[in-house]
Amino acid sequence: MSTVDNRRGGSALSGGQAIWLVAEREIGSKLRSKAFVISTAILFLGALALVIWAGFQASSTSGTPVAVTTDASQYVEGVEGLEITDVPDRAAAEDLVTSGDVDAAIVGDSSSPLGFAVVAESSAPTQLLLQLSQLPPVELLEPDDVNAALGYIAALGFGIVFLFAASMFGGTIAQSVVEEKQTRVVELLISAIPVRSLLAGKVIGNTVLAMGQILILAAVAIVGLTVTDQTELLKGLGGPIAWFAVFFLFGFILLAALFAAAASMVSRMEDVGSTTTPLTMLIMAPYFLVIFFNDNPLVLGIMSYVPFSAPVGMPMRIFLGEAQWWEPLVSLAILVATCVAAILIGARIYENSLLRMGARVKLSEALAG
């Protein structure tokens, strides 16, 4: 606020200058907050560790360690996922099992209808039994382009990032607005700059911080996948991540304007939840929908065109290869139009409620002015 006060003695601020001063104040206050810096650093380090661990797990070629006798070697030919130690007889195989050098042993057994038996110490490894099971060949007429497990991981990633960033910065905006009303700081601010410039500055400042986190997280994912040599997965995620950043930009501006407007309707921190809870539910809904319905084309298709869930639904459909080339453009156009409408409505509510102290302002009164 000192920057604003220092300039009040001079010429009147233009709209752009006023917006930038407020945005600068919002960004500076967050970057000076130790809690914000520490939590952000933990988020980035945790994301990097998770991506690297997942990449190494996916690229690991080690299999189940087993001992195989000479008379049983023919039964494991072509079986993937085994780390085989050849032994001459059953006694040697049992010794390795007892010593813990292998998880189990595969030995010849004339009494078995399969011609071999599995020897283990206390229980046979389930993964080994599945690997040895005889399954019929499977032919897929329309195979999926994306592995189901990778689809779930992508859904989890998009959902968590959207939920975390939108809820954290949305809550920050709401808290900032109410604090300024409680301390009467807002009266000093709007004596220097227009109310709408104050709202625009808050939205832009927090949008810059949120997009900064999104871009750094994208860089973390790229670095992690590169280090673990997951080039194929990286190629598949490149486009969806880029679209996610674009959709998140407009989706966050929409939510930020509504959070500021909702918070301006109350004068006490204890009451802010009563006006922002519906917005919080809108943020949580896409996360749960994409987690539970990440393999449901109908639900994802609807999500990709609803403005509040499009930042999660459309990138997910692009990753799965279900979206046509024109669909992201149409969805983005709907989101931008909704964003403009939300800004206009939010600015009206914010302008009509900001200086009203005491009881909560009703929505109808805030809209009517």
Side-chain angles (χ1 to χ4, degrees):
M1 195 181 73
S2 60
T3 309
V4 175
D5 292 339
N6 291 339
R7 297 195 182 189
R8 287 179 61 192
S11 58
L13 295 172
S14 66
Q17 288 176 321
I19 292 172
W20 173 245
L21 284 176
V22 177
E24 192 177 37
R25 176 174 174 268
E26 291 288 319
I27 295 171
S29 64
K30 293 296 289 184
L31 294 180
R32 287 191 297 270
S33 170
K34 291 183 179 180
F36 174 77
V37 173
I38 292 173
S39 63
T40 301
I42 293 174
L43 172 65
F44 293 155
L45 292 175
L48 180 60
L50 180 63
V51 171
I52 291 178
W53 175 82
F56 279 129
Q57 285 292 107
S59 60
S60 175
T61 57
S62 61
T64 305
V66 294
V68 180
T69 58
T70 304
D71 56 353
S73 59
Q74 58 181 316
Y75 301 112
V76 296
E77 291 180 2
V79 178
E80 299 180 355
L82 298 180
E83 196 174 310
I84 297 175
T85 300
D86 293 318
V87 292
D89 51 36
R90 181 176 182 135
E94 291 179 352
D95 288 340
L96 290 179
V97 172
T98 304
S99 64
D101 292 333
V102 295
D103 292 346
I106 301 173
V107 300
D109 187 351
S110 57
S111 62
S112 169
L114 298 177
F116 69 92
V118 174
V119 178
E121 187 169 13
S122 58
S123 62
T126 303
Q127 182 63 30
L128 174 62
L129 298 180
L130 292 174
Q131 289 166 325
L132 293 174
S133 62
Q134 298 181 6
L135 299 175
V138 178
E139 297 181 8
L140 301 177
L141 298 179
E142 297 182 6
D144 293 333
D145 295 330
V146 179
N147 183 277
L150 294 181
Y152 184 80
I153 292 173
L156 190 65
F158 288 136
I160 287 178
V161 171
F162 178 79
L163 174 65
F164 178 83
S167 60
M168 183 177 73
F169 286 102
T172 298
I173 293 173
Q175 182 179 356
S176 173
V177 171
V178 178
E179 283 180 351
E180 289 172 357
K181 288 189 67 173
Q182 276 187 320
T183 58
R184 303 280 181 167
V185 170
V186 67
E187 297 176 7
L188 298 176
L189 289 172
I190 64 174
S191 66
I193 58 177
V195 175
R196 295 201 173 197
S197 296
L198 178 60
L199 173 62
K202 285 183 175 295
V203 171
I204 291 174
N206 283 277
T207 300
V208 169
L209 290 170
M211 286 303 300
Q213 282 196 349
I214 295 298
L215 294 177
I216 293 176
L217 285 173
V220 165
I222 292 172
V223 170
L225 293 174
T226 302
V227 168
T228 56
D229 198 29
Q230 296 295 305
T231 54
E232 290 300 321
L233 181 57
L234 182 59
K235 291 178 182 177
L237 277 173
I241 288 177
W243 276 108
F244 176 75
V246 174
F247 273 88
F248 180 86
L249 171 62
F250 293 101
F252 181 81
I253 293 174
L254 184 157
L255 289 169
L258 294 180
F259 264 104
S264 69
M265 297 167 64
V266 297
S267 302
R268 299 187 308 164
M269 196 62 67
E270 296 84 358
D271 299 330
V272 70
S274 63
T275 56
T276 59
T277 296
L279 297 175
T280 303
M281 298 300 293
L282 286 176
I283 293 174
M284 295 177 65
Y287 169 74
F288 288 108
L289 286 173
V290 80
I291 294 300
F292 292 115
F293 299 100
N294 63 86
D295 58 349
N296 189 313
L298 176 61
V299 174
L300 288 179
I302 295 172
M303 285 180 61
S304 64
Y305 287 101
V306 176
F308 293 100
S309 59
V312 176
M314 185 54 75
M316 189 62 199
R317 290 187 65 213
I318 294 173
F319 176 73
L320 296 173
E322 297 176 357
Q324 300 296 323
W325 66 268
W326 52 267
E327 290 190 79
L329 301 177
V330 173
S331 177
L332 185 60
I334 295 173
L335 177 58
V336 171
T338 308
C339 183
V340 172
I343 291 173
L344 295 176
I345 294 173
R348 183 173 181 82
I349 296 173
Y350 187 80
E351 195 170 24
N352 293 336
S353 306
L354 194 59
L355 292 180
R356 298 181 65 174
M357 303 297 177
R360 170 185 167 184
V361 180
K362 295 181 179 179
L363 180 59
S364 58
E365 295 176 357
L367 289 171

